[in-house]
Amino acid sequence: MKIKTLIVDDEPHAIEVIEKYVENFPEIEVVSKCNNAIQAFQLLQQHKIDLIFLDIKMPGLLGTDFIRSLKHPPKIIFTTAYQDYALEGFDLSAVDYLLKPIPFDRFLKAMDKVFALYKVNNHRISITEKAAEQQSDVFLYLRVERKMVKVNVADIYWIESLKDYIKVVLKDRVLISKQKISLLEELLPEEKFMRIHRSFIVSTHKIESYHAYSVELLGMELPIGRNYKTECHKRLKNS
């Protein structure tokens, strides 16, 4: 069984990410892709579409308004950089709601829901296997100035909150991106990263040393917050 799929997004990089992820699932066939709701409507007249990956905030017509205009919409997975539309998205019976930048392990969970809806057999096992295979190749796209920059999750040492921005520290460079640290925390694999302070998330595998009040990475000491101390020490002792 092929699940006929349409990707709708006004950002070319976002389409590329979904296409790359979908390549891991031979049951998903990308019939077409476009960058606005008007083109999407025309494609729905031309093709049988089972599933749409749909951006919400697009020029001309919001993705949510587009879905409301359809008498018999396909299954929808909303993809957006804005949390504000989540409740509205689920009110429209969306299969899932993915926040950009979309990590691969979060995408897997969405695909698991799709396969359950279409009763595709044996996918829970295959999804687990794919996650293991790509564990070292999970990446995010971060908006840095006017570009979407690809970052391999395995290369991240720590993330620091700078009010409305975050600083992402890699071994050989530092990236500044406008978003909240709490949003990025939801996107990172929780088994690989740990919140140690309201302003810091660290890669647990890259911690060089620690004591009661701080951890050390790349020769830098980062503080452990009072509210995070118990959980941090528990994880560090068990690792």
Side-chain angles (χ1 to χ4, degrees), residues 40-47 70:
F41 181 80
Q42 294 170 344
L43 288 166
L44 286 176
Q45 311 310 306
Q46 300 168 13
H47 304 280
L70 302 176

Side-chain angles (χ1 to χ4, degrees), residues 170-181:
L170 312 173
K171 186 172 184 178
D172 57 349
R173 57 180 172 153
V174 174
L175 301 174
I176 305 296
S177 178
K178 188 173 183 181
Q179 63 178 288
K180 297 287 188 181
I181 193 171

Side-chain angles (χ1 to χ4, degrees), residues 52 54 62-71 73 76 78 92:
I52 304 180
L54 180 64
L62 291 177
T64 47
D65 292 336
F66 167 59
I67 294 303
R68 288 193 185 90
S69 73
L70 302 176
K71 287 185 177 180
I76 305 296
F78 284 115
L92 292 169

Side-chain angles (χ1 to χ4, degrees), residues 5-48:
T5 303
L6 172 65
I7 304 172
V8 187
D9 202 302
D10 63 332
E11 293 183 7
H13 283 299
I15 291 177
E16 289 174 11
V17 169
I18 294 173
E19 282 189 300
K20 177 178 172 60
Y21 287 173
V22 164
E23 286 174 1
N24 293 281
F25 302 97
E27 299 81 6
I28 303 292
E29 178 185 346
V30 177
V31 173
S32 191
K33 54 196 175 183
C34 61
N35 55 28
N36 63 64
I38 303 303
Q39 291 177 340
F41 181 80
Q42 294 170 344
L43 288 166
L44 286 176
Q45 311 310 306
Q46 300 168 13
H47 304 280
K48 178 186 181 297

Side-chain angles (χ1 to χ4, degrees), residues 142-149 151 174-178:
L142 298 177
R143 186 179 294 280
V144 179
E145 295 179 348
R146 297 183 180 181
K147 296 187 296 183
M148 298 299 288
V149 177
V151 178
V174 174
L175 301 174
I176 305 296
S177 178
K178 188 173 183 181

Side-chain angles (χ1 to χ4, degrees), residues 199-218:
S199 298
F200 291 99
I201 298 171
V202 301
S203 168
T204 53
H205 299 290
K206 290 183 169 57
I207 294 174
E208 298 162 2
S209 64
Y210 73 94
H211 58 69
Y213 302 103
S214 69
V215 299
E216 185 175 322
L217 301 89
L218 288 179

Side-chain angles (χ1 to χ4, degrees), residues 216-233:
E216 185 175 322
L217 301 89
L218 288 179
M220 290 286 294
E221 281 198 3
L222 305 179
I224 296 176
R226 183 189 307 169
N227 295 334
Y228 300 87
K229 186 176 177 181
T230 302
E231 183 61 26
C232 285
H233 288 175

